[in-house]
Amino acid sequence: MSDGKAQSAAAPFDADLEEQLGSIVGDSHLLVDPDVVASYESDWTGRFRARARCVVRPGSTAQVAAVVGACRAAEVAVCVQGGNTGLVGGSVPVPGSVVLSTLRLDEIEPIDEVAGQVTVGAGRTLASLQQVVRPAGFDVGVDFAARESCTVGGMASTNAGGERVLRYGTMRAQVVGVEAVMPDGSVVTRLAGLPKDNTGYDLVSLLSGAEGTLGVITRLRLRLVPWFVARAVALVAVEGVSEAVELVRAARQLPSLEAAELFFPAGLDLVCRHAGVNPPFAAAHPAYVLLECADRDDPSDDLLAALEAAGDIVSDATVATDARGRHALWAYRESHTESINAEGIPVKLDVAVPLAALPEAVAKLPTAIEAVAPRARLILFGHVNEGNLHVNVLDALDDDEAVTEAVLKLVASYGGSISAEHGVGRAKREWLSLSRSTEEIAVMRSIKSALDPAGLLNPGVLL
Ligand code: FAD
Ligand code: 2HG
Ligand code: ZN
């Protein structure tokens, strides 16, 4: 089953499989009605879509193992889906496959306050985990706008980044243990969360960022970080990307700095239009940086002093410390994705370049895109400290491949990454060699075929 697409379509339809799946998960958790299945068949942006055979929603690790076993025996591919907020098509099925939804795997164990860790079901959403850990003085180190829907299993599988990477790292840095069902149906459990444990290959890290191609994560042990209630957010207008990078370089001296985000007038206009909010400043500016500091005590004096010290770099600024004001400033940044989708389905690329190259890369992107899609509209934003740009190109779906190639080749020319945080999925599989050597891809293929020789899990994703 090396190409799941061909296999799933070619495999003889075996109605017994549905019967078996129904008896494993209970008939109410086997979805076969095309109208109900439809919502599992396309991604958040509407860019990727395929007809699944059915959706199965196991409620325990044992049920996941039984589902994987039944699909393996029937030679039908399994596509793993969490909150379905992924942006590279990794969570949509291949035609004729079984969608395994993890949403019922949402149990949470009591917080281990001594270790500062928690064990949680892979299907629990980030927001519902935040609601449990914050009252106990803890927080999850990764946060981003899809929090109400994305699951911790999906976050681990994509090694999600988001808005706090500069302080706490990506999702892989939060995952200290996993339980997973492997393609052969066996269950690997490594949930002790020992900070020191050098007993061989790091299977926990391997499954993080594997995009569901090596195993179905059923439970995770996550390290927790302190929940800082005292917060200050500054939205700063600057003259351009060089100034944005300079500002962030200075702000990084603040130990309480948690986020440094970047956006531009084109994105801000869309947000104001679609979210129905007024612009933050009387005049438009070439670029905007959002900084957030969080600490035990009010960090606003430190943040204001940093802005003062930045001098002429700051063209204008507005600061909020109360929850309402902070959310209003964050909305200018976090509403980008929804506002873009309200305009149409974008060609969406998530890339990173070395920070020193960010101003030049941003300057070259419009020309590179215009050369292949003259009528396209470019909306750029991102996580500035990591040189992570979200390149959204509207009115360019007909030139999807050409735009993708132009952007990814430009990024590769700077030694950048063609996927900073969303993963490779189905969207960027063909361009993997721009960021990974032939030898690295060969090693990845060896790992995949050692663990999943039949190509059962997420065929067509990543490799
Ligand atoms: P899904 O979309 O369901 O799946 C994603 C991938 O993980 C698929 O390949 C799937 O097969 C696999 N998978 C899911 N669960 C499991 C499991 N239990 N075991 C094995 N494989 C599994 N991403 C960022 O990194 N940073 C951001 O700032 C960010 N912001 C976003 C904002 C918005 C508005 C939206 C819509 C998305 C954003 N994303 C961001 C992308 C997305 O939310 C993340 O990739 C998230 O981690 C996906 O979680 P999910 O549960 O929705 O996974
Ligand atoms: C973000 O940072 C997400 O808001 C989504 O990663 C990026 O929509 C996008 O392109
Ligand atoms: Zn992002």
Side-chain angles (χ1 to χ4, degrees):
M1 213 189 297
S2 58
D3 179 347
K5 194 171 178 175
Q7 271 295 334
S8 293
F13 192 87
D14 173 10
D16 283 355
L17 178 60
E18 273 71 9
E19 211 168 288
Q20 281 181 53
L21 295 175
S23 70
I24 293 166
V25 297
D27 285 339
S28 59
H29 297 297
L30 173 70
L31 312 178
V32 289
D33 177 344
D35 291 340
V36 181
V37 171
S39 66
Y40 296 80
E41 293 179 325
S42 78
D43 71 319
W44 192 91
T45 62
R47 187 174 164 201
F48 302 92
R49 178 182 291 278
R51 296 306 301 267
R53 174 172 172 147
C54 61
V55 176
V56 62
R57 305 192 305 174
S60 67
T61 302
Q63 288 185 6
V64 173
V67 166
V68 168
C71 292
R72 193 183 62 250
E75 297 189 14
V76 173
V78 176
C79 293
V80 192
Q81 193 177 97
N84 201 15
T85 65
L87 297 173
V88 288
S91 52
V92 295
V94 287
S97 60
V98 169
V99 173
L100 189 160
S101 166
T102 62
L103 292 179
R104 289 179 64 222
L105 304 170
D106 63 350
E107 276 184 21
I108 181 164
E109 290 183 11
I111 298 168
D112 179 346
E113 301 207 7
V114 178
Q117 297 176 351
V118 67
T119 298
V120 58
R124 182 166 277 263
T125 64
L126 173 57
S128 70
L129 179 58
Q130 289 169 335
Q131 277 158 24
V132 172
V133 300
R134 285 180 179 171
F138 293 104
D139 200 10
V140 186
V142 168
D143 192 21
F144 51 87
R147 57 183 74 81
E148 296 291 338
S149 306
C150 70
T151 63
V152 288
M155 292 165 67
S157 299
T158 56
N159 184 24
E163 299 152 355
R164 296 181 178 177
V165 171
L166 70 83
R167 191 168 200 178
Y168 299 119
T170 63
M171 192 62 182
R172 187 178 274 126
Q174 324 308 319
V175 178
V176 294
V178 291
E179 175 189 80
V181 173
M182 305 308 283
D184 66 0
S186 62
V187 179
V188 171
T189 307
R190 189 138 202 90
L191 289 169
L194 296 174
K196 288 193 168 183
D197 176 17
N198 286 349
T199 51
Y201 300 144
D202 189 346
L203 302 178
V204 176
S205 279
L206 180 64
L207 288 166
S208 301
E211 301 187 43
T213 59
L214 301 180
V216 184
I217 298 177
T218 46
R219 284 195 292 164
L220 289 155
R221 182 135 179 118
L222 299 177
R223 77 152 170 153
L224 298 171
V225 300
W227 169 231
F228 294 121
V229 184
R231 288 174 176 268
V233 176
L235 184 60
V236 185
V238 292
E239 274 304 303
V241 182
S242 302
E243 288 77 4
V245 171
E246 215 31 60
L247 178 64
V248 171
R249 185 163 111 159
R252 255 195 334 241
Q253 302 303 317
L254 299 172
S256 60
L257 186 68
E258 192 154 294
E261 302 288 311
L262 175 68
F263 56 91
F264 297 94
L268 179 61
D269 283 353
L270 283 191
V271 167
C272 290
R273 193 137 41 89
H274 291 290
V277 291
N278 292 320
F281 302 110
H285 295 269
Y288 303 92
V289 177
L290 183 147
L291 300 172
E292 177 162 32
C293 288
D295 214 334
R296 299 237 175 266
D297 303 314
D298 182 0
S300 53
D301 284 350
D302 288 347
L303 183 55
L304 287 169
L307 296 183
E308 190 81 28
D312 285 351
I313 292 177
V314 176
S315 305
D316 205 344
T318 172
V319 177
T321 49
D322 64 303
R324 202 171 168 174
R326 287 187 275 116
H327 289 144
L329 293 183
W330 263 111
Y332 291 118
R333 164 62 181 86
E334 286 199 339
S335 304
H336 269 66
T337 305
E338 283 194 48
S339 303
I340 289 164
N341 245 61
E343 291 275 303
I345 300 175
V347 177
K348 191 181 276 293
L349 300 161
D350 153 50
V351 299
V353 295
L355 201 42
L358 192 67
E360 192 180 304
V362 171
K364 285 191 174 171
L365 272 169
T367 321
I369 293 167
E370 204 184 330
V372 293
R375 283 186 304 279
R377 285 183 288 154
L378 169 62
I379 314 292
L380 270 182
F381 58 103
H383 313 280
V384 62
N385 185 62
E386 293 82 46
N388 181 183
L389 285 174
H390 295 311
V391 183
N392 281 258
V393 191
L394 282 162
D395 303 328
L397 273 189
D398 290 344
D399 305 306
D400 187 339
E401 284 208 5
V403 168
T404 302
E405 184 144 310
V407 172
L408 300 188
K409 281 192 167 163
L410 179 68
V411 165
S413 74
Y414 291 104
S417 169
I418 64 158
S419 175
E421 58 173 9
H422 296 163
V424 174
R426 301 185 196 289
K428 294 183 189 161
R429 193 178 59 155
E430 282 159 47
W431 288 276
L432 189 56
S433 60
L434 288 174
S435 280
R436 295 297 200 131
S437 68
T438 312
E439 292 78 7
E440 281 181 294
I441 294 172
V443 172
M444 288 199 254
R445 283 192 188 285
S446 301
I447 293 170
K448 170 71 176 170
S449 53
L451 297 181
D452 187 13
L456 181 76
L457 290 187
N458 277 8
V461 171
L462 177 54
L463 292 169

